[in-house]
């Protein structure tokens, strides 16, 4: 009798502990995904224009899944302490659904991260930056978003183009069709700026004198936050799911042993 | 002037008179050299030095004195009546050479000329459409996440099936004391048991 009682209490204790951890991780996941969705680096317009904003969809799913995990963990703790079959069955089924959604979020984040190569941003920058005549409102919205984001990126990170200023010279672009390449070998934002936001020396910038223009590419400034976002959602979700898997297996074993 | 073995590279006729061939007449420099622009002789009293082009405080003077852009005029080709000197953009992926000629303006006699410059090849630019945006192989992380999570979900569903089926097919009677089976807090009246008596 004592051995069975101890066994029950140990299993209950483990499952309650497991559910507490799931609840806390759920809140953490919600908070992390809200942070990513708020787009602190302002890169969402670039992803929206490439139609590759899957990592944002994954973060949105993560917000709701995190909250669901927290609510279900409370349900699970109550069900385990009361050893109620119905509550635990509801808990298991809802947890399986939540598991499936979180799995979708992790896979989406990991898969869509693979699409965000330098060439993708290069093509979009060349086609949309300062595009003169947008075709419709959607085009205009995306063009404005891309132009503003690139201007901000080049100004704040002291960079030019995706791989370097030579991007503007090796390819034709929407920018090139309205700006001749003697006055604008690269956009003005690539010049080293003073405190008022004007180029320090315009001739030096146009000629490519070192120190008067930004000679490195912006890809690192883009891929850093995007990677943090994608791996943060994918791997943290994966860790939560591994833990949830163990807790759920234990709960199913516990449930199958409950007498009527 | 484009590189070609069989064409003339002379800028003067037999009596040292400058040949003022235009862009249109020479088919963009394919037949013989064409005249791109004409300038007056500048004052050479104290000219800016070319080596100062790297010094940003002096570079604007250097540019004002020396900079001439070949291919500056994009519109003179489209006017069919324009027969004067035209300086339209150069062709991409083509090699050009340049020279300066000193001409006396009254009779057009060539007084002096520089040598032909080294060949300069213009770029051939690529279109943004040609940028290949294929992401390449799937990353290892994505494969790990997808495969492991799929396996875990499958195991969970299998475990769920096992739990439900073991609950449905459980033999009746009190639980064995060695199993880890919790008792529910039930009132004393027995509930109907599954399975037949």
């Amino acid at each position: 009798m004592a051995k069975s009682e101890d066994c029950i209490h140990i299993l209950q204790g483990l499952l309650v502990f497991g559910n507490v951890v799931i609840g806390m991780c759920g809140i953490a996941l919600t908070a992390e995904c809200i942070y990513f969705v708020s787009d602190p680096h302002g890169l969402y317009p670039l992803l929206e224009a490439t139609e590759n904003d899957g990592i944002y969809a994954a973060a949105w799913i993560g917000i709701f899944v995190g909250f669901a995990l927290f609510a279900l963990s409370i349900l699970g703790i109550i069900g385990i302490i009361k050893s109620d079959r119905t509550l635990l069955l509801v808990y298991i089924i809802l947890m399986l659904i939540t598991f499936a959604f979180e799995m979708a979020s992790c896979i989406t984040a990991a898969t869509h991260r693979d699409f965000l190569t330098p060439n993708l941003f290069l093509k979009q920058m060349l086609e949309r930056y300062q595009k003169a005549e947008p075709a419709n409102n959607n085009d205009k919205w995306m063009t404005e978003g891309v132009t503003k984001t690139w201007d901000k990126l080049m100004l704040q990170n002291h960079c030019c183009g995706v791989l370097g200023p030579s991007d503007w010279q090796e390819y034709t672009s929407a920018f090139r069709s309205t700006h001749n390449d003697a006055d604008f070998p690269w956009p003005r934002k690539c010049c080293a700026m003073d405190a008022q936001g004007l180029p320090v020396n315009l001739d030096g910038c146009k000629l490519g004198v070192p120190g008067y223009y930004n000679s490195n590419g912006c890809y690192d400034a883009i891929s850093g936050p995007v990677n943090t976002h994608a791996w943060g959602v994918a791997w943290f979700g994966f860790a939560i799911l591994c833990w949830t898997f163990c807790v759920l297996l234990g709960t199913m074993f516990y449930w199958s042993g409950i007498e009527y | 002037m484009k590189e070609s073995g069989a064409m003339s590279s002379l800028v003067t006729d037999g009596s040292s008179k400058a040949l003022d061939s235009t862009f249109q007449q020479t088919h963009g420099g394919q037949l013989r050299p064409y005249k791109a622009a004409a300038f007056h002789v500048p004052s050479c009293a104290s000219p800016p030095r070319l080596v100062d082009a790297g010094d940003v405080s002096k570079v604007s003077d250097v540019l004002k004195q020396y900079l001439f852009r070949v291919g500056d005029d994009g519109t003179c080709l489209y006017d069919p009546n324009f027969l004067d000197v035209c300086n339209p953009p150069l062709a991409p992926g083509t090699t050009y050479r340049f020279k300066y000629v000193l001409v006396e303006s009254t009779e057009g006699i060539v007084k002096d000329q520089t040598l032909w410059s080294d060949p300069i090849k213009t770029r051939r630019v690529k279109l943004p459409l040609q940028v290949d945006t294929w992401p390449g192989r799937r990353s290892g992380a994505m494969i790990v996440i997808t495969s492991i999570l799929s396996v875990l979900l499958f195991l969970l569903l299998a475990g769920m099936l096992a739990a439900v089926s073991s609950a449905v097919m459980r033999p009746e009677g009190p639980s064995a004391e060695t199993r880890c089976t919790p008792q529910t807090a039930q009132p004393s009246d027995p509930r109907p048991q599954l399975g037949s008596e």
Side-chain angles (χ1 to χ4, degrees):
Chain A
M1 186 71 73
K3 185 177 172 194
S4 181
E5 285 265 332
D6 280 346
C7 182
I8 293 165
H9 285 314
I10 290 174
L11 187 57
Q12 272 183 334
L14 280 177
L15 290 178
V16 166
F17 170 69
N19 274 296
V20 165
V21 170
I22 290 179
M24 295 196 299
C25 288
I27 297 181
L29 182 69
T30 300
E32 184 199 29
C33 290
I34 289 179
Y35 171 72
F36 287 134
V37 165
S38 73
D39 195 17
H41 295 273
L43 293 175
Y44 181 70
L46 293 187
L47 297 182
E48 182 190 25
T50 60
E51 285 156 21
N52 254 317
D53 54 354
I55 56 177
Y56 281 88
W60 276 108
I61 298 177
I63 294 178
F64 297 110
V65 164
F67 187 68
L69 283 175
F70 173 68
L72 284 178
S73 72
I74 295 180
L75 177 69
I77 291 174
I78 297 175
I80 287 168
I81 291 179
K82 288 168 77 172
S83 291
D84 185 343
R85 261 188 107 96
T86 321
L87 268 185
L88 280 183
L89 186 63
V90 166
Y91 166 81
I92 290 175
I93 291 176
L94 289 180
M95 264 300 211
L96 281 176
I97 296 174
T98 310
F99 189 99
F101 271 100
E102 179 59 20
M103 189 171 132
S105 165
C106 294
I107 295 178
T108 304
T111 312
H112 280 260
R113 169 62 196 94
D114 287 347
F115 286 118
L116 303 176
T117 53
N119 275 355
L120 183 71
F121 293 111
L122 177 67
K123 181 168 180 179
Q124 179 211 70
M125 178 184 82
L126 294 171
E127 285 178 351
R128 285 204 189 267
Y129 181 74
Q130 294 198 12
K131 183 170 167 186
E133 286 159 9
N136 52 36
N137 271 344
N138 188 36
D139 203 27
K140 182 160 173 262
W141 170 261
M142 291 199 185
T143 301
E144 277 171 20
V146 169
T147 304
K148 276 201 208 124
T149 306
W150 270 106
D151 284 339
K152 187 169 69 85
L153 261 180
M154 294 199 283
L155 211 54
Q156 284 179 350
N157 298 97
H158 306 294
C159 58
C160 186
V162 175
L163 301 167
S166 52
D167 290 342
W168 297 106
Q169 315 217 301
E170 285 173 26
Y171 295 89
T172 61
S173 53
F175 174 76
R176 181 58 63 223
S177 59
T178 45
H179 298 80
N180 76 53
D181 56 1
D183 287 328
F184 291 90
W186 33 74
R188 285 283 183 264
K189 293 281 191 284
C190 289
C191 300
M193 298 286 196
D194 59 15
Q196 278 81 32
L198 297 169
V200 173
N201 188 306
L202 196 54
D203 285 322
C205 176
K206 287 201 262 187
L207 288 175
V209 178
Y212 291 91
Y213 74 112
N214 302 325
S215 55
N216 39 306
C218 294
Y219 183 63
D220 287 334
I222 298 175
S223 71
V226 160
N227 275 346
T228 311
H229 177 141
W231 297 139
V233 171
W235 285 113
F236 186 47
F238 179 77
I240 293 177
L241 289 183
C242 288
W243 180 267
T244 308
F245 169 76
C246 300
V247 171
L248 270 182
L249 274 187
T251 313
M252 285 179 200
F253 173 71
Y254 185 80
W255 177 82
S256 68
I258 296 178
E259 294 288 316
Y260 271 116
Chain B
M1 166 188 118
K2 285 197 193 161
E3 289 286 343
S4 167
M7 64 169 182
S8 148
S9 61
L10 294 175
V11 292
T12 59
D13 62 9
S15 58
S16 282
K17 202 153 171 327
L19 287 174
D20 281 340
S21 316
T22 65
F23 184 89
Q24 283 98 328
Q25 284 169 350
T26 61
H27 295 269
Q30 284 179 22
L31 302 176
R32 44 181 194 282
Y34 71 93
K35 178 175 167 184
F39 333 90
H40 294 294
V41 175
S43 148
C44 295
S46 58
R49 301 183 306 156
L50 269 181
V51 297
D52 285 338
D55 180 353
V56 289
S57 57
K58 303 183 187 144
V59 68
S60 55
D61 288 331
V62 173
L63 291 179
K64 212 166 24 179
Q65 181 83 355
Y66 296 121
L67 181 67
F68 167 69
R69 189 173 181 237
V70 177
D72 213 7
D73 189 353
T75 54
C76 63
L77 277 186
Y78 300 117
D79 183 356
N81 300 322
F82 191 92
L83 296 169
D84 206 351
V85 170
C86 188
N87 185 14
L90 304 178
T94 316
T95 314
Y96 288 87
R97 293 195 297 178
F98 307 89
K99 80 152 61 184
Y100 281 94
V101 177
L102 183 65
V103 176
E104 195 205 336
S105 46
T106 46
E107 296 186 24
I109 306 280
V110 169
K111 291 290 179 192
D112 203 355
Q113 50 185 293
T114 63
L115 295 173
W116 283 109
S117 71
D118 288 333
I120 301 173
K121 185 159 183 175
T122 51
R123 274 181 207 258
R124 187 171 290 284
V125 281
K126 297 177 262 193
L127 293 173
L129 294 173
Q130 294 171 325
V131 176
D132 181 14
T133 57
W134 186 58
R137 283 187 51 213
R138 293 287 179 213
S139 68
M142 175 255 164
I143 294 178
V144 162
I145 289 179
T146 309
S147 52
I148 293 185
L149 287 183
S150 308
V151 166
L152 291 186
L153 185 63
F154 170 73
L155 289 177
L156 276 182
L157 291 175
M160 183 67 187
L161 268 181
V164 167
S165 63
S166 86
V168 166
M169 294 188 303
R170 184 204 319 246
E172 300 314 321
S175 62
E177 287 178 2
T178 52
R179 278 181 59 205
C180 203
T181 54
Q183 302 288 334
T184 56
Q186 289 293 330
S188 53
D189 52 314
R191 292 168 63 171
Q193 300 281 332
L194 287 172
S196 56
E197 190 59 40

